[in-house]
Amino acid sequence: MNHWKNTALGLALLATTAVATTAQDTRRLDGRMVSIYNVAGTVEVVTGSGNQVVVEIERGGADAGRLSVEVDEISGRTALRVIYPDDDIFYRPEGTRGNYNSEMRIRSEGTFGDSGDRQGDRVRISSRAGGMDAHANLRISVPSGHDVRIYAGMSEMKVTDVRADLNLDNHAGSIDVAGMTGNLSIDSGSGSVTAVRVTGEVEIDTGSGSVEVSDIEGPFVHVDTGSGRVTGDNVRAPEVNVDTGSGSVVLRRMNVPEVLVDTGSGSVEVEVIGAVDRLEVDTGSGSVTLRLPRDLDAEIEVDTGSGGIDVGFEVAVERMSRDYFRGRVGNGRGRIMVDTGSGRIRLIGG
């Protein structure tokens, strides 16, 4: 990050004291494919008009004057980068509880997160004073039909009523999407994720933190989390796939023919209100409850290492023991499979 440090040295000659300051800047970005990079500060994404993505930048902190903004084309996309000329950054947003200390790698042009995460210089973001005291809060207005990727280091990200494809990548901090038409991809290192009222593909990957999806309609919903509770409600899609290392999974009002749930540990509850083509639940430990439609038509196979099995509706039993059950409802068109290392399994008819 040599050119960052050289920039910092030049700016230091222009100022003899560092005082708390804010400065506003607005950038208009051409092109339908846009990428935005910012290490520290909040991100708000709203619907825009016209043909340009508009980024309103509010700098903050005692060293805000040392921040610069660069815009040019990178890998075929218009790329805006907020440049931090230091590898030790202090950022403590209002309301922060406890202390955090996070590291990430940033390439010389100010990009990160999109590919080659191991490339670039190591940068530390800390809530403890001592580093460069600067951040930039962004308000991004996105016109309909654009493809926008937003990369943040430490941020609280909020999206409201946008009609575009979004890729949100946050190293640490919460992501809240409330109203969107377009494909949504979220990658969060840590922090809660909420996606509500989305029409389009939904793909969420988080290292740790709870995930909530509700009122979703699109071709698929995929959620992958290392640890954290996953909840879903009122999803209409051909496929829902949830994979979590640890944490409970609760899916209600799934009008989804194919539901796949895999968790290392944690209870699972799934309610399906439409036809079932394929419903699979695999958990290392934890109880499983399936609430199934009245007109269910499926083959059922249930296996538990320890824990009872309850079937609360009429079924043609093919094999049954304390820890294993196989049977058929109707013509057996669909397929239901449940496997848990330990935990009680309950199948409840609608």
Side-chain angles (χ1 to χ4, degrees), residues 212-291:
E212 176 188 349
V213 293
S214 63
D215 298 326
I216 309 294
E217 184 171 4
F220 64 80
V221 175
H222 291 175
V223 177
D224 189 336
T225 177
S227 64
R229 175 182 174 89
V230 177
T231 60
D233 182 53
N234 190 27
V235 175
R236 299 173 299 282
E239 176 190 341
V240 168
N241 189 325
V242 176
D243 190 335
T244 177
S246 64
S248 63
V249 177
V250 178
L251 305 178
R252 297 192 176 95
R253 296 192 295 167
M254 297 287 109
N255 195 346
V256 179
E258 183 170 315
V259 179
L260 309 176
V261 178
D262 190 335
T263 176
S265 64
S267 63
V268 176
E269 180 180 343
V270 178
E271 178 190 19
V272 179
I273 61 175
V276 175
D277 291 339
R278 182 184 176 199
L279 172 54
E280 294 186 9
V281 176
D282 189 339
T283 176
S285 64
S287 63
V288 176
T289 300
L290 302 184
R291 301 181 185 276

Side-chain angles (χ1 to χ4, degrees), residues 168-215:
L168 308 176
D169 190 313
N170 197 8
H171 188 71
S174 65
I175 298 176
D176 185 357
V177 178
M180 177 181 159
T181 300
N183 296 329
L184 173 64
S185 176
I186 293 176
D187 192 337
S188 173
S190 64
S192 63
V193 173
T194 303
V196 179
R197 302 192 312 278
V198 178
T199 301
E201 300 174 359
V202 176
E203 190 161 7
I204 298 172
D205 189 335
T206 176
S208 64
S210 64
V211 176
E212 176 188 349
V213 293
S214 63
D215 298 326

Side-chain angles (χ1 to χ4, degrees), residues 3 33 38 56 64 66 101 188 204 256 271 279 293 311 336 338:
H3 86 286
M33 295 191 298
N38 182 39
E56 299 172 63
R66 298 174 59 194
N101 185 34
S188 173
I204 298 172
V256 179
E271 178 190 19
L279 172 54
V311 180
I336 297 174
V338 181

Side-chain angles (χ1 to χ4, degrees), residues 49 75 156 183 189 252 298:
S49 59
S75 301
E156 305 295 318
N183 296 329
R252 297 192 176 95

Side-chain angles (χ1 to χ4, degrees), residues 82-162:
V82 180
I83 303 299
Y84 292 71
D86 207 320
D87 56 10
D88 189 2
I89 299 166
F90 165 65
Y91 175 57
R92 187 179 181 86
E94 185 177 350
T96 299
R97 296 181 179 179
N99 293 307
Y100 61 81
N101 185 34
S102 183
E103 290 189 350
M104 56 190 297
R105 288 188 177 274
I106 301 178
R107 293 181 284 274
S108 59
E109 71 275 14
T111 64
F112 57 89
D114 44 4
S115 63
D117 283 344
R118 296 183 182 275
Q119 300 176 357
D121 293 323
R122 193 182 302 275
V123 174
R124 183 171 75 104
I125 310 168
S126 174
S127 61
R128 297 181 181 275
M132 175 185 176
D133 180 6
H135 63 273
N137 296 329
L138 308 183
R139 189 176 192 273
I140 305 168
S141 299
V142 179
S144 176
H146 279 60
D147 177 348
V148 177
R149 301 176 183 178
I150 303 171
Y151 301 91
M154 188 73 64
S155 179
E156 305 295 318
M157 306 178 76
K158 293 185 178 182
V159 177
T160 307
D161 297 330
V162 171

Side-chain angles (χ1 to χ4, degrees), residues 47-63:
T47 187
S49 59
N51 297 318
Q52 295 176 311
V53 173
V54 179
V55 184
E56 299 172 63
I57 306 164
E58 182 181 66
R59 298 173 176 86
D63 299 318

